Structure formats: structure tokens, C-alpha cells
Amino acid sequence: DARVTQTPRHKVTEMGQEVTMRCQPILGHNTVFWYRQTMMQGLELLAYFRNRAPLDDSGMPKDRFSAEMPDATLATLKIQPSEPRDSAVYFCASGLGITGFSEKLFFGSGTQLSVL
Amino acid sequence: EDQVTQSPEALRLQEGESSSLNCSYTVSGLRGLFWYRQDPGKGPEFLFTLYSAGEEKEKERLKATLTKKESFLHITAPKPEDSATYLCAVQARADYGQNFVFGPGTRLSVLP
């Protein structure tokens, strides 16, 4: 079965360290989303790509977060420097947008990030 | 601003006890309403998309319905394996950023 692959599954780091999360979207999907999930805020959109171009990163703290798609098979989310408030589960999702909208999203299993 | 609320926050049912979950939304022109299921330690899994008021979709023991202000997820004769968090999300017609706005979810527990 095709699925979205995220690495690492768990990451524990100290405040101030750089964190890189990776995502391999489903082959053929042209939209990639990064979401953050916490108990307090639920699922929040951080960034969105269409055909590898960043279209919306308004939900991302620009001073410390960055998202890129070096190629169609890899999306990355970096946090530098990391802070304890960044502790959350980070999900990558991909979809196929034909009419301009993604009909549905396929989520990875997430990266559980703990910043001490 | 597009908003999604869900109720109840948590629901505990006995096996076979049917019930409904509610998703209320405010959106500037609905393009689609989505239901997802999320198991602990996993990402959300797609269940249904509804596009217009009056539409209904069914899958096994689940049926989703849509009105102009809310959606219901009806669970008929649930089984313990239906235990999960159910998330509702909306996508606005005018949202060229294609953001899916998610609700906080309803945590469902089905006891044997």
C-alpha cells in the first residue's frame, strides 16, 4: 500500500539544538502539507507545497522554522533553534490536487518531538 | 475566520449502542467537509468527503451527513475496534491556500 513515510518517529533534543524532520510523500501526489498536533491546539497547518512550490507557510514561526521540498520525493521541516514549546507531534500529509484543490489527505505516522 | 467545533469532546459507548458525533462549522463558502479517524500514535486516516447540504456517505457502521451549518457522524451498533478520535475538517471554496481547518476531535471509546 502506498503511504507517507516520516522520519524520525521520535526525537528528543535539548533546547537550542537544530531539528530536521523528513517526509516522503506518496509517489504521484503533488501537494504536501506539514501539520503540528498538540492537545491544546489540535492540528495546525504549518506549511503547504504544491508541485514543490511553497504556497502557504503563514502558520509557521519564520524566525525558527523552515520547510523545503528539495525534490518530489522529499519534504523537510527544520527547527533552529528548537524551544520547549515546539514539543508536539509533527505530521506530514500528501494529496493529489487536480482541480486546484486536494480532494483528501494521506497522513504519515508523525514525528513525536520533545524539546527539553 | 473559518472555524470547526466538535461535540462531545469524549464519548463512551457500550458495544452495540448507536450514537452520533457532531461537527459544527463556520466557513466562507464550503468546498468540502472531511471526516478522519485517528488511532493513538498514528496519523489521521481519511473516511469521508461531503460537498453539499443533504449529502450522505456510508462506510460499514459509519454514516456521515451534512447540513449548511453542521455535519453528523452516525455510528450504528459500534464495536470496540471503532474506538478512536474522530476529526472533522473543512476546506473553504475561496481558500487558495487549500488549508484544511481541523476541529479538536471527539474521542470515542466503545466498551465490550
Side-chain angles (χ1 to χ4, degrees):
Chain A
D1 286 343
R3 57 180 176 175
V4 175
T5 302
Q6 287 187 250
T7 56
R9 288 281 282 124
H10 304 275
K11 176 72 175 179
V12 180
T13 190
E14 293 187 347
M15 183 173 62
Q17 296 299 305
E18 177 178 303
V19 175
T20 298
M21 290 170 268
R22 293 178 174 79
C23 168
Q24 181 175 4
I26 291 175
L27 187 65
H29 282 187
N30 62 346
T31 60
V32 173
F33 294 71
W34 282 103
Y35 280 91
R36 175 171 61 186
Q37 188 174 42
T38 62
M39 289 294 293
M40 293 297 295
Q41 300 295 328
L43 275 167
E44 302 173 281
L45 179 70
L46 296 175
Y48 155 64
F49 294 79
R50 181 178 173 85
N51 295 326
R52 295 178 54 203
L55 291 191
D56 185 356
D57 60 2
S58 57
M60 206 163 62
K62 304 289 193 307
D63 57 338
R64 298 185 301 109
F65 284 60
S66 63
E68 296 179 344
M69 276 202 77
D71 60 61
T73 64
L74 177 64
T76 62
L77 180 66
K78 291 186 180 181
I79 308 174
Q80 169 62 22
S82 58
E83 298 180 1
R85 58 179 168 156
D86 300 329
S87 297
V89 181
Y90 290 80
F91 286 106
C92 174
S94 71
L96 182 59
I98 297 175
T99 60
F101 291 87
S102 296
E103 294 298 323
K104 61 185 180 183
L105 297 182
F106 294 81
F107 283 79
S109 295
T111 294
Q112 173 80 57
L113 175 64
S114 297
V115 183
L116 306 177
Chain B
E1 183 181 341
D2 302 335
Q3 288 189 336
V4 178
T5 59
Q6 292 186 247
S7 62
E9 183 177 326
L11 180 63
R12 183 172 291 192
L13 300 173
Q14 290 294 135
E15 184 172 2
E17 180 186 1
S18 302
S19 188
S20 296
L21 312 183
N22 175 266
C23 169
S24 295
Y25 64 90
T26 304
V27 65
S28 53
L30 180 71
R31 183 187 179 274
L33 184 140
F34 304 80
W35 282 98
Y36 284 81
R37 168 191 171 129
Q38 186 173 22
D39 292 301
K42 296 187 177 181
E45 179 183 349
F46 173 79
L47 291 173
F48 303 111
T49 306
L50 301 166
Y51 293 105
S52 57
E55 188 175 359
E56 297 183 353
K57 292 276 181 70
E58 285 190 65
K59 180 180 179 179
E60 296 181 355
R61 296 176 293 281
L62 301 177
K63 183 170 80 171
T65 62
L66 181 64
T67 71
K68 289 186 177 181
K69 294 293 184 184
E70 56 192 351
S71 176
F72 292 93
L73 185 65
H74 307 278
I75 303 177
T76 302
K79 298 182 178 181
E81 53 261 42
D82 294 323
S83 298
T85 296
Y86 290 85
L87 299 166
C88 169
V90 296
Q91 193 180 50
R93 187 176 301 279
D95 189 345
Y96 298 107
Q98 299 193 31
N99 187 14
F100 291 72
V101 178
F102 282 85
T106 292
R107 195 168 57 255
L108 174 66
S109 300
V110 182
L111 306 177

